[in-house]
Structures are given as structure tokens and as C-alpha cells.
Amino acid sequence: MEEHSDPATEIAKLCRWWASREQANAAGSTYAVLMSELKLEGDAQFFKLIAVTQDRFNEFESLVVNCTDRHFRDELRNRALKGSGNLRGFFSPKSMARNWSQTSQLLRDEVSLTAVEAASIAFSRSHPEVIPTADDLEEIAFFIDKVTEEKIKDLNLPIIFERALRLGLVELEFASRFPDVYGPSRLVDRIFSLYETHESISKNWKPYRSGDVFRNVKSVLAVAFRLVVQSAVLINAIDTHVELFNSISTNLGDVLQITDQSESESSKNEEAGSDDFPPTTSV
């Protein structure tokens, strides 16, 4: 059965994924802990994950700013933007050099996470996303593994096609290894990028259509249909329960306000005059 989500829920999920490292050497730098835990092949892969994460924050904040849903009040909008700003401070160069046990707390701030997740009230209908299942990801990896270097070379493709095909497969394989970082929409982007390459080669290099590479790439692309075709059940459920969604939207701001007041009173006992979220680190 399809599991659905939205950009706000996925951003919170992304933060919790990054914060979930269980490194014994908690005194190490954030960069060192992450490189060790993620088992990446060099800095290029690490900074690719950071760049994708920053892009997702940018996209989320743009959605929040431009959302026209009448139930998404300015209070919720402002809280979502503030929470997002706090959370993304983890990914700044300064944070990467700091102690992991200190920096990781930025991603565990439940006030900021709740403020971000509140935006799902607006985005669950306008921007629904289908979460790839473990079977989907295993199927992608299975067929990509079948497209070996030797088989690609045996095709004798023009160099521009060969490079494009290799790049498309490498990008999709990497994205499918880190689905929580890429999120559903960016994984689909990688699938369609490979699809464009596949179609271009098919039309312009006829021998490509008769080999194993063609069949395996085509099998990988079949997964796309499960990820981009939105279930009508999701849309109908939101229509059916629109009054409940509206009620949540109306009352959630009050709940968050109570939470903020509680946080403010607690922090005032430690630092006079402080009633803000944890300080944001500029990216």
C-alpha cells in the first residue's frame, strides 16, 4: 500500500535522519562523525548530500512563503520559516567543524520541528508525495547492478550517450541509497533524468534497443510510475475530512503559542529576556 507524505513532513523527517547518528566518539567534529557513520567515498559525496539538503530547505521555505491556502495563517507561516531557519543551521560550515554532541542538538529542537511539520496542513493536499517503499529501492538497486561497466562498453555508444547513461545510473543509485536525504520528489527527478537519456539513446542509436542494458534500464524506469502517480484515495480522504483539517489548522497555532510561552518562561530562568527560538546559524 502506498504511503503518502508532503514537503513539510519530509523536511522534519530529513532532520531526524541526520540527527540519528549513534557515534561513540561524540566528542569528534560533526564532519568527522558523519563521514565515519555514512561510509561515503570521499568529500564529494558528503558535500553532495549537504547540497541536496540545502536545496530541499530552500524549496520548502519557498513553498511556505508562496502558499496561498486560506487556512495557512501568517502565524503558522512565520513559525515554519523560523523553525526551518533554526534547523538548517546544522548544515553551515561552522557547524560541521563543531562538536557533534553540541551541533546535533540543533536538529533535535522539537519546537522548530513542530513548527515545520505544522505546514503539512497546507501541503498535504497541494503537494502530496508518494514515499518509495523498501521494495521499490531494492528493485532500483537490483536492475542498476545488472548494468555493468562491461555491458555499457560493449554497446559502443557515442561518447556523449555513454557518459550521459553512466551519469544517470550513478546519480539514481546514489539517490536511492539515501532516500531520506533526497526525498520522494528528488528521487523521481533522478528517475526522469535517466528516462530522458534512455529515450534519446533509443531513438538515435538503434543497437541499444536489443541488449540487456536497454531491458534493465527500462525495468528501473518502471518504478517511476509507482512514485509519481498519486493515489486518488489520498485526495478523496482530504476532501472527506476537510472539516477536521480546518479545525487542526485553526487550533494548532494556539498549541504552538502555548509551547513557545512555556519555552520562554523556562529560558528566562536561565537567561533574562530570552524568549526566542534557539539562535540560528547562518548558512
Side-chain angles (χ1 to χ4, degrees):
M1 182 176 180
E2 291 178 345
E3 182 180 355
H4 294 86
S5 188
D6 61 83
T9 300
E10 289 300 300
I11 282 289
K13 179 180 174 182
L14 168 67
C15 292
R16 293 188 173 103
W17 182 87
W18 278 105
S20 66
R21 309 302 109 202
E22 296 296 340
Q23 175 76 1
N25 181 24
S29 72
T30 297
Y31 167 79
V33 168
L34 291 174
M35 283 294 291
S36 174
E37 289 267 328
L38 298 177
K39 305 186 186 316
L40 299 171
E41 299 173 8
D43 287 345
Q45 290 189 344
F46 176 77
F47 289 113
K48 178 180 288 188
L49 292 179
I50 295 294
V52 170
T53 299
Q54 292 283 24
D55 284 345
R56 288 187 62 192
F57 271 100
N58 290 338
E59 183 179 83
F60 169 72
E61 290 172 4
S62 177
L63 288 173
V64 170
V65 168
N66 295 297
C67 180
T68 59
D69 190 300
R70 63 190 180 90
H71 302 293
F72 193 53
R73 299 179 299 172
D74 286 342
E75 178 188 0
L76 296 180
R77 189 192 314 275
N78 293 336
R79 290 183 188 278
L81 291 172
K82 198 170 189 179
S84 177
N86 290 333
L87 294 166
R88 71 185 302 172
F90 172 87
F91 303 98
S92 71
K94 288 183 179 180
S95 292
M96 289 296 111
R98 289 176 181 159
N99 183 287
W100 162 256
S101 60
Q102 173 191 1
T103 306
S104 61
Q105 296 306 312
L106 288 170
L107 296 181
R108 298 189 176 103
D109 173 29
E110 287 300 324
V111 174
S112 294
L113 288 167
T114 300
V116 165
E117 288 176 307
S120 66
I121 291 173
F123 299 146
S124 58
R125 176 174 174 79
S126 61
H127 294 80
E129 296 182 341
V130 177
I131 299 176
T133 66
D135 288 342
D136 290 332
L137 299 175
E138 287 177 7
E139 186 174 357
I140 288 173
F142 174 78
F143 286 112
I144 288 180
D145 284 344
K146 285 178 168 289
V147 185
T148 63
E149 291 283 327
E150 291 74 16
K151 288 183 178 180
I152 293 178
K153 287 181 180 179
D154 289 344
L155 291 172
N156 293 316
L157 293 169
I159 190 65
I160 189 172
F161 286 153
E162 181 179 327
R163 288 177 177 174
L165 182 59
R166 289 179 191 276
L167 179 62
L169 289 167
V170 167
E171 289 286 334
L172 180 55
E173 188 276 332
F174 189 69
S176 64
R177 279 174 54 196
F178 298 98
D180 290 307
V181 176
Y182 277 78
S185 61
R186 275 173 173 70
L187 182 59
V188 170
D189 287 344
R190 298 310 186 275
I191 290 173
F192 277 114
S193 178
L194 179 60
Y195 169 77
E196 291 174 355
T197 298
H198 172 77
E199 284 295 290
S200 180
I201 298 175
S202 297
K203 292 177 181 177
N204 295 284
W205 196 256
K206 299 302 182 184
Y208 173 69
R209 300 180 62 87
S210 60
D212 288 342
V213 172
F214 173 85
R215 287 189 290 272
N216 288 317
V217 172
K218 190 174 181 181
S219 296
V220 170
L221 295 171
V223 178
F225 293 100
R226 293 199 291 270
L227 302 182
V228 300
V229 178
Q230 303 300 329
S231 171
V233 174
L234 173 69
I235 304 301
N236 290 338
I238 295 175
D239 281 338
T240 302
H241 301 289
V242 66
E243 291 185 4
L244 174 60
F245 273 72
N246 292 348
S247 175
I248 294 173
S249 176
T250 300
N251 297 319
L252 189 54
D254 296 332
V255 173
L256 289 176
Q257 185 175 10
I258 292 172
T259 303
D260 275 1
Q261 288 173 351
S262 175
E263 290 286 328
S264 174
E265 291 171 2
S266 175
S267 62
K268 282 179 181 178
N269 292 332
E270 301 175 2
E271 183 178 350
S274 175
D275 60 352
D276 204 349
F277 277 41
T280 302
T281 304
S282 300
V283 177

